[in-house]
Structure formats: C-alpha cells, structure tokens
C-alpha cells in the first residue's frame, strides 16, 4: 500500500470516487496494447511473440496509464493462486481454461467463499501464497480497509463504473449479480398463476406457501432482503419494511432456506429469490429440470420501479504477495472484453456489459433497466454486520439461523 494511505476504521472512504454512493481459443492475444475499445493485442509492435531481451520468451504490456508495465514469461509461476477463482461458479471454468491456454499457467481451483478468503488473508498476512483477492466486492473493500491490498489499475479500469472501483486502484469490480425471482413455470401453470413481476406478487398464498429466501449470512439472501426492503421504502438504516413483508409471506408458509437450487429442482419449493446467475444456470445447465419449467424475472417494487439490487464482485492485488506481475496479468485478462464476454456466456453480467451484447437467455434488458438499483458498498460494509444481526433477531420466517 502507499505510505500516505490513511489508517483507521473506514478512513479510506475518502479515496473512493465521488460516484461511490450510488470461447477459449478466441481469447488468445486479447491482452497487450489497448485499442480504443479496450481490447488489446499481445504486447508487441507487430502482434507476434517477442522476447524481452533476457531469453524469457513472450512479454505483455498491462496496466492503465501510470500503472502500465511489462510482464514477461519469467514473471509467471507454475501455478497462479487467486482467492475464490473456482470451477462451478461465475463461469470461472471457461475463464480458467482460457487463461491457461493463453499463458500456459493453470489457475488454482480455490473452492472457498469470499468470507473464507478474507479469513485466510488475515491468517496468512506476511506469509501469503495468493497473489490477489477475488470475490464479493464489499469483502474486497474490507480487505482494503484492513490494509491487505495494494494499488493496481488494470487495463480497462477506466471503463468500470465509478460506483464499482476505488479511485486509489485497490479494489475493482469485474462482474455483477442481480437479484431475480426464480419460479417453477410448470407449477405456476398447474396452479393457474401468472408469472411474478413484482415482490407484491409473491404475497399470494398460492405462491408464498412454498416460497424460500436464503439466509442473511449468504450474499444472495442478504441482497434479496435488501431488495425487498428498498422496494417498500426502506434503507440500510430502516429495515422495518422488510420485516413487515416477511410477516405477510410468513403467514402463508414462506421460510428461509439454504440449498435452494436443489430444493427447487426437486419440487419442494416453487419460488425463490437468488442472483440471476443462479436461476439462469439452473434453467440452462441443470440436467434435473427442463429449461421450459424454469422462469427467471428481475422483480420490481409493488408499484413498479426499483426492486432488484445489483451486487458487484471484483478483485484486488494483495500487498507483499507472491507473483505480483502474474497477478496483474490475470487482472488485465479478466477485465478484457473477450473475457468479459465469457462471463456473459456463463450467465454472469460483466461489469463492462454496456460494451457487449447480452445473450438471449438473459431476462430482457428492459427488466434490468426498470428494476435494478445499486447500494453504496462502503456504507454496506460499515453496516452489514449490524444488518445481518438484526435480520437474524427479527425475521419471522423459520430457518433464519441455518
């Protein structure tokens, strides 16, 4: 970290920008000297492999503006460790394969949550095996506030919305998950129900009887409940609208529950709130249920308007960590348009989505435009522990502490 970065709880708030409130083969050669669209070559004048003068093989130009630097093959380890880059989530499978195909370096399959990553970062500070943090953006902000990150702005950093990056270059978002309502279209048809469009629709007894919301300790559960609270007029300091809503749906059988995808495909629940990635993956990737039996909608508030929070995920280069140049190469790779498209192809909305065309499988863009809102991630970081505790104490739905 830079020496003039202030210390103390949440003192780095001042470093945020003013806006903070609010296929594998095709990847080859996508990094290097950026063009006007943010995509790049391979770091050489003529687009061919080039040595760095020391016999180390290929080299790549990475970084945004003052962070521009050269990474050579000599900088690459036999295996690169990045927290929470894992198969089975966010289409990392495709990204991992593309990275190894491009650079010959496998990414370690790190099967852990963002919170587990932060705990490991704290435990191993000063003796770190991992080059960078990847995961839930607010957790990255916590690592930043704890002093575990260092500054680096990858190529394409300027195209990340101001709300989703720190202006000191410590934490940058790479993708977003938007809260969606996932429902069993076949069950709704059998019950004579219309597809849900708003949170108000879920109050119907025929829906609420087997409706589930994840627990507040899970990112999808917390963001679903913050979406409901916002839709009914609440904010991070006032959760009463959420509890009023939970009281109503709880009277008809709604509950908190983990393992929602498994319960959903088994027919034990017909409706649940989850990130759009989860519902779309179930719809198009699961062998346990036909595509046509799964509906995914971005919910609006009771009278229309904002009802679905867009939760960012991102990365941060770790301070005094091994293989920092390889970490920078990874960060540029993930933020390049070709790899951003891989997220889209895996039903994850990339942070540079406005520069790309969404796959037809996603809900219509009009749903996102009408319903999506964003939360001040620094404020959420400050208040999240208190919010989770309050939900556990006050939620009338069974299963909240599971």
């Amino acid at each position: 970290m830079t020496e003039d970065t202030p210390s103390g709880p949440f003192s780095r708030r001042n470093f945020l920008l003013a806006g903070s409130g609010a296929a594998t083969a095709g990847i080859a050669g996508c990094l290097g000297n950026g063009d006007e669209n943010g995509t790049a070559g391979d770091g050489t004048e003529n687009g061919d492999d080039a040595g760095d003068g020391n016999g180390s093989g290929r080299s790549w130009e990475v970084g945004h503006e003052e962070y521009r630097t050269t990474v050579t093959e000599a900088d690459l380890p036999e295996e690169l460790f990045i927290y929470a880059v894992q198969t089975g989530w966010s289409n990392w499978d495709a990204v991992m394969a593309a990275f190894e195909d491009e650079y010959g370096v496998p990414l370690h399959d790190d099967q852990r949550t963002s919170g587990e990553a932060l705990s490991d970062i704290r435990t191993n500070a000063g003796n770190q095996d991992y080059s960078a943090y990847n995961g839930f953006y607010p957790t990255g902000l916590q690592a930043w506030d704890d002093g575990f990150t260092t500054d680096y702005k990858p190529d394409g950093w300027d195209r990340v919305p101001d709300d989703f990056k720190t202006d000191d270059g410590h934490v940058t978002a790479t993708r977003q998950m938007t809260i969606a309502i996932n429902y069993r279209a076949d069950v709704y048809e059998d019950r004579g129900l219309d597809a849900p469009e708003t949170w108000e629709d879920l109050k119907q007894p025929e829906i609420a009887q087997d409706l589930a919301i994840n627990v507040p300790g899970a990112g999808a559960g917390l963001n679903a409940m913050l979406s409901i609270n916002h839709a009914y007029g609440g904010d991070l300091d006032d959760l009463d609208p959420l509890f009023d809503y939970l009281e109503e749906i709880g009277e008809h059988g709604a509950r908190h529950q983990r393992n929602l995808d498994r319960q959903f495909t088994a027919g034990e629940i017909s409706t649940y709130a989850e990130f759009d990635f989860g519902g779309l993956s179930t719809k198009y990737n699961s062998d346990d249920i036909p595509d046509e039996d799964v509906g995914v909608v971005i919910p609006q508030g009771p009278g229309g308007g904002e009802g679905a929070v867009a939760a960012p995920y991102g990365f941060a280069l770790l301070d005094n960590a091994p293989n920092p140049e390889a970490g920078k190469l990874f960060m540029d790779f993930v933020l390049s348009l070709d790899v951003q498209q891989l997220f889209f192809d895996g039903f994850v909305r990339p942070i540079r989505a406005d520069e790309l065309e969404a796959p037809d499988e996603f809900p219509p863009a009009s749903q996102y435009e009408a319903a999506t809102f964003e939360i001040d991630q620094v404020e959420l970081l400050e208040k999240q522990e208190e919010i989770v505790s309050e939900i556990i104490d006050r939620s009338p739905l069974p299963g909240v502490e599971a």
Side-chain angles (χ1 to χ4, degrees):
M1 297 180 61
T2 55
E3 294 182 358
D4 60 349
T5 300
S7 59
F10 311 114
S11 58
R12 294 181 181 83
R13 169 189 286 273
N14 293 331
F15 279 80
L16 291 177
L17 287 172
S20 66
T24 300
I27 302 300
C30 73
L31 291 181
N33 297 317
D35 64 16
E36 64 181 3
N37 295 316
T39 55
D42 68 358
T44 65
E45 288 186 5
N46 57 13
D48 296 324
D49 291 349
D52 66 354
N54 295 313
S56 60
R58 295 186 297 167
S59 63
W60 303 269
E61 292 296 316
V62 301
H64 173 70
E65 293 185 346
E66 71 269 28
Y67 292 91
R68 203 74 174 160
T69 190
T70 300
V71 177
T72 73
E73 283 190 323
D75 296 316
L76 306 185
E78 292 185 2
E79 184 178 22
L80 182 60
F81 287 73
I82 308 291
Y83 280 109
V85 169
Q86 57 189 263
T87 56
W89 172 251
S90 288
N91 207 30
W92 278 118
D93 308 62
V95 177
M96 294 164 75
F99 187 83
E100 183 173 5
D101 183 70
E102 174 71 0
Y103 304 111
V105 177
L107 284 158
H108 176 69
D109 192 352
D110 191 57
Q111 293 286 335
R112 75 178 87 211
T113 66
S114 302
E116 290 168 341
L118 180 59
S119 177
D120 195 74
I121 290 170
R122 288 169 169 162
T123 299
N124 293 290
N127 187 31
Q128 183 59 260
D129 293 326
Y130 286 74
S131 299
Y133 165 82
N134 159 73
F136 196 37
Y137 186 84
T139 307
L141 290 179
Q142 185 65 68
W144 168 64
D145 193 75
D146 288 349
F148 296 122
T149 65
T150 190
D151 57 318
Y152 176 66
K153 297 179 182 180
D155 189 37
W157 182 89
D158 55 322
R159 290 167 171 85
V160 176
D162 290 351
D163 290 346
F164 299 133
K165 61 188 179 186
T166 62
D167 71 346
D168 62 359
H170 277 245
V171 190
T172 304
T174 58
R175 59 205 189 279
Q176 284 182 288
M177 306 281 189
T178 302
I179 288 296
I181 292 173
N182 307 314
Y183 64 97
R184 288 287 300 260
D186 55 334
V187 174
Y188 274 53
E189 182 177 0
D190 290 344
R191 295 177 182 174
L193 298 168
D194 293 330
E197 296 179 354
T198 72
W199 291 109
E200 191 73 11
D201 293 335
L202 303 192
K203 291 181 179 181
Q204 299 175 66
E206 298 86 358
I207 294 177
Q209 63 180 331
D210 50 7
L211 163 67
I213 298 176
N214 212 323
V215 298
L222 176 61
N223 280 282
M225 286 182 274
L226 292 178
S227 295
I228 293 168
N229 191 56
H230 179 90
Y232 286 87
D235 56 36
L236 297 182
D237 294 314
D238 177 17
L239 300 181
D240 287 346
L242 167 65
F243 299 121
D244 290 343
Y245 181 89
L246 296 180
E247 187 75 40
E248 289 191 57
I249 62 174
E251 292 176 357
H252 304 298
R255 61 190 182 274
H256 293 291
Q257 189 169 320
R258 292 185 180 270
N259 302 316
L260 296 175
D261 177 71
R262 185 175 60 189
Q263 305 296 328
F264 181 75
T265 56
E268 297 176 19
I269 58 176
S270 66
T271 312
Y272 71 106
E274 173 64 276
F275 289 131
D276 49 358
F277 164 75
L280 293 170
S281 294
T282 298
K283 181 176 178 68
Y284 295 108
N285 292 337
S286 176
D287 295 329
D288 297 326
I289 189 170
D291 296 2
E292 62 270 17
D293 287 352
V294 181
V296 181
V297 64
I298 309 302
Q300 296 187 49
E306 297 177 346
V309 68
Y313 284 70
F315 51 29
L317 198 66
L318 294 176
D319 193 34
N320 294 319
N323 306 305
E325 302 307 300
K328 294 174 183 178
L329 190 66
F330 165 81
M331 293 172 74
D332 278 50
F333 185 75
V334 170
L335 208 55
S336 68
L337 282 180
D338 286 334
V339 178
Q340 290 278 289
Q341 185 65 54
L342 286 182
F343 286 129
F344 243 158
D345 293 344
F347 313 120
V348 180
R349 191 171 181 83
I351 204 66
R352 298 179 65 180
D354 290 347
E355 302 173 64
L356 300 166
E357 185 173 348
D360 293 338
E361 290 86 355
F362 272 78
S366 58
Q367 289 188 17
Y368 286 93
E369 293 167 0
T372 302
F373 71 97
E374 296 157 359
I375 291 175
D376 181 335
Q377 296 300 314
V378 174
E379 183 182 3
L380 179 59
L381 170 64
E382 295 175 352
K383 299 175 180 178
Q384 180 167 317
E385 185 176 350
E386 180 181 342
I387 289 171
V388 170
S389 295
E390 184 175 356
I391 294 174
I392 291 174
D393 289 342
R394 295 184 58 188
S395 176
L397 304 188
V400 70
E401 297 185 22

